[in-house]
Structure formats: structure tokens, C-alpha cells
Amino acid sequence: MAACGREPPEQRLRLTVAAMQEAVEKGKPKDFMEPVADDFVGNGGLDRAGLERLLKGQLLLSPNVTVQTGPLSVEMGANDTTATVRFSMLLAGGSGRFVPERGDMQELVSGWREEEGQWRLYSASWKPMGAD
């Protein structure tokens, strides 16, 4: 992944998130899932396998997905080996023939930990923008 190297931990984390965004836009769910931890937990108890199925399903419905993120807010944890990343995200998709047929603005909070020099996504929660 592009997040390898000797960059500071926060910079490597930002590169990992950017690589995941690029993987979605290129329709490469396997690349997206690479940094997702085996013990991942998402909304409603969604596990890693469920996240992969959800992503593949969305890519089948919308083969031309674009992802626009707001600025990442990164809060580094103890010893820079854990982090919380918050951002807004607009997912748009459609056939690619016209303007996006679907769009969905979400607020996302994700939990990360560093394992053997690689950032792993272990939790995520998302909700529609402005929902309480």
C-alpha cells in the first residue's frame, strides 16, 4: 500500500485512508479491505465479512462510485499506535452516463491501531450527516 515507508504515524494513517478511498473509486474491494482488521466491528455489529459484502454490493449497484471526503480530523492515541479518524463523506454513484444518480452524505468515525508498521481499521460507525 501507499502507506508504507518512514513517514510519521499520522501521515501513514492519512495515506492509508486515501488509498482506501482510491480503491473504492477504482472498484477494487480487495484493496479496500486490505487494512481492515479481522476483528472489525461496524454499525449494528457489522463484521469484516459483512463490510466486504456491503462494499461489493454497493459497487455492483453503482459501478462508477466517487468518494469525496471532508477534512480528516485525526486524534492520535497513546504512543501514536492508536487513532480516531473523523470526517464527512459524500458517496455518489450511478451508471456514469449522467450526473450521479445517487448521493449520500455521511459522518464517519473510525478506530485504528498500528500492527507491525501498518494501520488497521478495527471499528467504524457512520450516520447520515446531521442525524442525531
Side-chain angles (χ1 to χ4, degrees):
M1 263 206 152
C4 301
R6 295 181 182 225
E7 293 90 0
E10 182 177 337
Q11 181 61 26
R12 286 186 288 108
L13 177 55
R14 288 177 180 275
L15 290 170
T16 299
V17 172
M20 292 176 81
Q21 176 181 342
E22 183 178 339
V24 169
E25 291 180 339
K26 288 185 174 182
K28 296 183 174 184
K30 183 178 178 184
D31 291 350
F32 175 89
M33 294 300 297
E34 186 177 316
V36 179
D38 290 339
D39 62 346
F40 171 84
V41 176
N43 286 14
L46 184 73
D47 64 5
R48 186 181 196 285
L51 178 63
E52 186 169 15
R53 284 190 303 273
L54 177 65
L55 177 60
K56 286 179 177 180
Q58 290 300 312
L59 291 174
L60 283 173
L61 288 172
S62 300
N64 297 306
V65 173
T66 59
V67 181
Q68 295 178 340
T69 61
L72 299 183
S73 168
V74 179
E75 300 167 26
M76 298 302 292
N79 300 320
D80 290 342
T81 58
T82 61
T84 301
V85 179
R86 301 171 194 274
F87 57 95
S88 60
M89 174 175 60
L90 173 64
L91 294 174
S95 65
R97 295 174 48 205
F98 305 105
V99 293
E101 297 165 9
R102 299 181 311 144
D104 193 14
M105 183 68 97
Q106 298 282 318
E107 294 179 75
L108 191 125
V109 178
S110 56
W112 296 80
R113 66 175 172 254
E114 192 173 29
E115 297 174 355
E116 299 178 10
Q118 299 294 320
W119 283 102
R120 299 284 178 220
L121 173 66
Y122 68 87
S123 70
S125 62
W126 55 94
K127 63 182 179 181
M129 190 71 142
D132 291 328

